[in-house]
């Protein structure tokens, strides 16, 4: 899996200077290096572009790596709302998206994402693309909240759904969130309002479309 991912990153998603800067800025701040993989970021860019999404919601910003990838998908015509627990992380992400040229097109909302999602719902907001990449214990809750905020045909992507491969391999050492990811995958796979598939790029991404 590691070799395959390295190969895909190398051939299809070499990291450019801006994304390299983001990764370094995360390390310099002593934050965990848990941004999406380069190929996962490229997939996000392509999915946003293919969907023609203009209203994008992200759950889990860290240093802005995935935020930049999402924004690159809509280019000049779109807006990213990114929910992040830690104000210091949102500040770094804001600086990095500014460097990438998306200053005017990204809004960070800090605090627990479930609270922010409830507020966005109360305000009547809708989105056509979602990216879930925060605390694994809330993935099912996040999926339900995203469906409630989704315009018909919206795309919902969730990261880390392979849990390092441990969801599939009985011999692999289970991770802290293996059981949660298995439950999430099975939930997404049979959800009556979704069409879903798991794409084994990076640490695995489910891609779901909200049925029209
Ligand atoms: C894996 S990192 C996100 C990486 C980012 N998506 C990227 O690829 O650039 C997970 C992020 O979720 C945030 N987080 C954790 N629990 C959260 C919560 N309850 N509400 C909002 N954000 C949360 C963490 O602070 C962390 O920045």
């Amino acid at each position: 899996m590691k070799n395959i991912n390295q190969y895909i990153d190398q051939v299809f998603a070499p990291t450019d200077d801006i994304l390299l800067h983001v990764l370094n800025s995360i390390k310099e701040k002593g934050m965990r290096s848990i941004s999406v993989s380069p190929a996962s970021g490229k997939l996000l860019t392509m999915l946003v572009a293919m969907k023609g999404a203009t209203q994008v919601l992200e759950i889990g910003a860290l240093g802005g790596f995935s935020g930049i990838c999402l924004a690159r998908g809509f280019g000049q015509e779109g807006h990213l709302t990114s929910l992040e627990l830690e104000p210091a992380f949102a500040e770094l992400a804001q600086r990095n998206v500014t460097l990438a040229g998306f200053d005017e097109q990204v809004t960070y909302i800090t605090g627990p994402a479930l609270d922010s999602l409830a507020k966005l719902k109360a305000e009547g907001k809708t989105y056509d693309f979602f990216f879930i990449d925060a605390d694994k214990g809330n993935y099912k809750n996040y999926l339900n909240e995203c469906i409630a905020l989704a315009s018909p045909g919206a795309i919902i992507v969730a990261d880390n759904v392979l849990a390092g491969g441990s969801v599939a391999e009985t011999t692999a050492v289970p991770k802290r969130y293996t059981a949660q990811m298995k439950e999430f995958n099975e939930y997404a796979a049979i959800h009556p309002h979704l069409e879903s598939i798991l794409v084994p790029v990076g640490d695995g991404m489910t891609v779901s479309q909200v049925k029209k």
Side-chain angles (χ1 to χ4, degrees), residues 149-167:
L149 286 163
S151 52
I155 305 288
I156 305 173
V157 179
D159 193 34
N160 303 115
V161 295
L162 283 176
S166 61
V167 295

Side-chain angles (χ1 to χ4, degrees), residues 3-18:
N3 288 349
I4 291 174
N5 272 320
Q6 275 171 357
Y7 174 76
I8 299 172
D9 286 344
Q10 211 180 324
V11 177
F12 289 92
T15 312
D16 58 59
D17 287 347
I18 288 176

Side-chain angles (χ1 to χ4, degrees), residues 18-19 22-23 26 34-38 40-46 48 56-74 80-84 93 96-97 100 102 106 108 129-134 157 159-160 205:
I18 288 176
L19 293 179
V22 175
L23 296 177
I26 289 168
I34 47 172
S35 307
V36 291
S37 79
S40 302
K42 174 90 178 274
L43 182 62
L44 288 175
T45 302
M46 291 180 67
V48 170
V56 179
L57 181 76
E58 170 181 66
I59 307 175
L62 194 70
F65 189 101
S66 57
I68 292 170
C69 296
L70 291 162
R72 283 177 174 175
F74 56 63
L80 169 69
T81 302
S82 181
L83 313 182
E84 171 54 51
N96 284 332
V97 298
F102 296 106
V106 183
Y108 286 97
F129 197 100
F130 301 84
F131 179 48
I132 301 171
D133 189 19
V157 179
D159 193 34
N160 303 115
M205 286 177 147

Side-chain angles (χ1 to χ4, degrees), residues 155-185:
I155 305 288
I156 305 173
V157 179
D159 193 34
N160 303 115
V161 295
L162 283 176
S166 61
V167 295
E169 294 169 23
T170 49
T171 51
V173 180
K175 286 194 182 280
R176 197 168 25 86
Y177 55 95
T178 302
Q180 288 162 345
M181 290 298 96
K182 279 175 121 167
E183 196 187 338
F184 173 81
N185 289 334

Side-chain angles (χ1 to χ4, degrees), residues 1 13-14 18 45 52 66 75-76 88 114 122 139 141 145 160 165 168 172-173 175 200 207:
M1 191 75 193
I18 288 176
T45 302
S66 57
Q76 311 270 299
L114 283 178
Y139 262 40
N141 295 329
E145 292 305 316
N160 303 115
V173 180
K175 286 194 182 280
V207 179

